[in-house]
């Protein structure tokens, strides 16, 4: 994979929103991308909900998330941050190869 094969940040935002909508419902479609998910989704985005989100993102994009190294509380707190995180991981894969 070359860096040109990395999807655009906008396409990753759309796909990320779709993953979250499957997990948490259609209200995700109208949620501003910078809205804090824990505050907006409440009990649905508890530790289990966040874990399900991380797992779904890993599966959708073929990446691995290290819960400590990748600061999951920060990177998975907003839709925008999730998409930016995925973009960064895919760029790393394009440069270094494989799942990281």
């Amino acid at each position: 994979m070359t860096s040109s094969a990395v999807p655009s940040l906008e396409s990753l935002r759309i796909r990320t929103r779709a993953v979250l909508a499957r997990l948490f419902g259609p209200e995700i479609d109208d949620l501003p991308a910078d809205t804090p998910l824990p505050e907006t989704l409440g009990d649905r985005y508890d530790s289990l909900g966040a874990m399900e989100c991380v797992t779904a993102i890993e599966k959708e994009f073929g990446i691995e998330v290290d819960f400590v190294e990748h600061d999951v509380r920060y990177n998975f707190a907003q839709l925008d941050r999730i998409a930016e995180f995925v973009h960064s991981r895919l760029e790393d894969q394009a440069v270094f190869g494989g799942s990281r």
Side-chain angles (χ1 to χ4, degrees):
M1 179 188 289
T2 64
S3 60
S4 63
V6 175
S8 71
L9 190 52
E10 185 56 33
S11 70
L12 293 173
R13 283 186 183 109
I14 292 167
R15 286 176 61 192
T16 299
R17 188 177 294 276
V19 170
L20 293 178
R22 286 193 302 268
L23 286 172
F24 302 110
E27 69 269 18
I28 293 294
D29 292 335
D30 298 323
L31 195 67
D34 62 350
T35 300
L37 295 173
E39 292 175 21
T40 303
L41 297 173
D43 290 343
R44 292 182 296 157
Y45 204 74
D46 59 6
S47 59
L48 179 59
M51 175 88 94
E52 290 173 342
C53 178
V54 169
T55 301
I57 292 294
E58 287 177 320
K59 184 176 179 181
E60 175 74 18
F61 297 104
I63 62 173
E64 291 182 18
V65 177
D66 180 301
F67 280 79
V68 175
E69 179 184 346
H70 296 139
D71 194 4
V72 171
R73 282 195 225 178
Y74 176 82
N75 286 312
F76 282 76
Q78 299 174 349
L79 189 141
D80 261 353
R81 288 185 194 163
I82 297 170
E84 290 166 4
F85 173 80
V86 169
H87 191 260
S88 173
R89 301 305 304 147
L90 292 175
E91 284 183 329
D92 286 352
Q93 284 181 6
V95 172
F96 300 113
S99 180
R100 302 187 130 238

